Amino acid sequence: MSFAKNKKDMNYYHICTKGTKDRVLFKDNDDYISAMNYVAISCIEHDITLLAFCIMSNHLHFIVWSDFTNAKKFIISIKRRCSLKHWHKYNEQKIFSGRKHPVSIIEICDMDYLKSAIAYVLRNPFKGFGELIWKYPWSSFDAYFNGIAVHENYKNDLKDNSRRANARILHSNFQAKETTLSVGNLGFIPPKEYVAYKRVESIFVSPKAMMYFLNKDIDNEMELELTSKKNKLVMNDNKILNMLPSIIEVNYGVQSIDALDIRQRLAIAGILQKRFNSSTKQIARLLQIDINSLI
């Protein structure tokens, strides 16, 4: 189903779920395959332009171009489908609920941040547990610049199957008769069939430029292109505030300044000074701490 898009309401968003600390959400290949297909069909249902995604064992990341309402419906749809599958398979309920698996939808305000956000999402397998990102099958990495890892040599066109056959393949009652999607030999719909890979390629321009952003995360933090050879750029309060929830989440698993104690705020202060050349006054203002704590 397709809806008319009002461009003034469209934005880039980083949709992420908080990683669960007490359990694994996706326990085997079958769980991941189902989740991959849920991403694809939820994209179609909610008219989402999906730029990048990664499914980790205990959380999810997406970069989308959408209005906020459809972005929210998209992630709720994926969580609902995963929850139903988990309930039938493991007899566990509500582990994808808002309380146990909360969602953040963060607006992306500039192109440098967009590039870094895409790279951050695709880099998650390495950041999380040292997986080589080009060998990790549960992301959109292989969709760009002709890919290097997953090459499908078999396709099962969903529109040619019976409703029962598709329900068995997708673990969903998604109506596939009007779609051009197909399932590959790995059991899931290849990301290149629904990810806006051409848009991502145009954003990065070349594979070399994309690899540059992917390789920037030397210290396992979300690095942004904010320095030159001669001097550091100084960013205004609003831009840093838009990025702050992601920075806090990467380091402490929360997104609100209010959730940080003074020790954690001082650690974030060091990151802001290093990345953005923030002044003492700006840091104190952004992190809501006494300036004397920074002197």
Side-chain angles (χ1 to χ4, degrees):
M1 183 177 293
S2 180
F3 302 91
K5 294 185 177 182
N6 187 346
K7 289 189 177 181
K8 71 177 183 179
D9 296 326
M10 308 295 285
N11 287 295
Y12 290 109
Y13 292 103
H14 179 186
I15 305 173
C16 53
T17 63
K18 184 178 180 180
T20 54
K21 295 181 179 179
D22 61 343
R23 69 187 67 206
V24 173
L25 298 175
F26 305 105
K27 300 180 180 181
D28 57 26
N29 280 1
D30 176 63
D31 291 343
Y32 280 106
I33 288 170
S34 295
M36 292 286 285
N37 287 330
Y38 296 157
V39 172
I41 60 184
S42 295
C43 252
I44 302 301
E45 285 185 334
H46 299 292
D47 200 30
I48 293 294
T49 299
L50 180 61
L51 277 71
F53 74 90
C54 184
I55 300 171
M56 300 292 286
S57 62
N58 70 336
H59 67 284
L60 306 164
H61 280 283
F62 304 93
I63 305 293
V64 305
W65 187 70
S66 172
D67 61 70
F68 184 85
T69 299
N70 275 0
K72 187 174 181 179
K73 288 180 179 179
F74 166 70
I75 186 61
I76 289 174
S77 173
I78 293 171
K79 289 180 62 180
R80 178 179 57 79
R81 285 185 162 105
C82 288
S83 182
L84 187 61
K85 168 77 183 294
H86 208 91
W87 177 31
H88 287 315
K89 185 173 180 179
Y90 300 110
N91 198 30
E92 291 181 318
Q93 299 185 45
K94 299 183 178 180
I95 67 166
F96 288 90
S97 68
R99 183 177 63 83
K100 293 185 177 181
H101 198 220
V103 171
S104 296
I105 304 177
I106 304 167
E107 185 177 343
I108 298 173
C109 299
D110 59 66
M111 292 305 292
D112 274 343
Y113 184 35
L114 176 60
K115 292 176 185 178
S116 292
I118 292 171
Y120 172 70
V121 168
L122 297 177
R123 200 166 47 231
N124 249 246
F126 180 78
K127 176 182 174 59
F129 37 81
E131 286 270 0
L132 297 176
I133 59 177
W134 54 87
K135 290 188 176 181
Y136 190 75
W138 318 120
S139 81
S140 59
F141 180 82
D142 198 56
Y144 319 108
F145 298 108
N146 295 321
I148 57 174
V150 180
H151 298 286
E152 303 285 347
N153 53 35
Y154 163 80
K155 286 188 176 183
N156 178 355
D157 292 330
L158 296 180
K159 63 180 177 58
D160 296 333
N161 295 337
S162 68
R163 180 174 179 176
R164 179 176 295 180
N166 282 333
R168 184 175 62 253
I169 293 169
L170 300 176
H171 298 283
S172 170
N173 289 323
F174 172 68
Q175 298 297 307
K177 288 302 179 184
E178 296 182 3
T179 184
T180 59
L181 297 177
S182 61
V183 173
N185 57 287
L186 296 180
F188 56 81
I189 301 165
K192 197 155 190 172
E193 294 201 9
Y194 57 93
V195 168
Y197 64 91
K198 289 185 179 179
R199 179 177 292 214
V200 174
E201 291 171 358
S202 69
I203 289 169
F204 285 100
V205 180
S206 69
K208 184 177 179 181
M210 188 174 193
M211 291 306 298
Y212 168 74
F213 274 85
L214 287 167
N215 289 326
K216 284 176 65 179
D217 193 21
I218 298 172
D219 59 353
N220 280 345
E221 294 179 359
M222 187 175 176
E223 294 292 339
L224 305 175
E225 182 64 3
L226 299 173
T227 60
S228 66
K229 292 182 179 179
K230 294 184 178 180
N231 51 51
K232 292 183 178 180
L233 300 175
V234 178
M235 297 192 72
N236 64 41
D237 285 2
N238 288 337
K239 285 193 174 183
I240 296 178
L241 282 174
N242 282 323
M243 300 177 189
L244 197 54
S246 291
I247 295 172
I248 294 172
E249 184 185 28
V250 166
N251 286 275
Y252 295 109
V254 298
Q255 294 187 348
S256 171
I257 296 172
D258 296 334
L260 303 181
D261 59 30
I262 185 61
R263 179 187 59 81
Q264 294 168 330
R265 294 189 193 202
L266 290 175
I268 296 295
I271 294 173
L272 297 186
Q273 198 285 324
K274 176 183 176 183
R275 288 190 184 181
F276 309 123
N277 199 28
S278 294
S279 67
T280 302
K281 289 183 178 180
Q282 186 182 42
I283 291 172
R285 184 167 63 244
L286 294 173
L287 298 182
Q288 303 170 24
I289 56 180
D290 186 346
I291 193 170
N292 293 320
S293 301
L294 301 170
I295 300 175

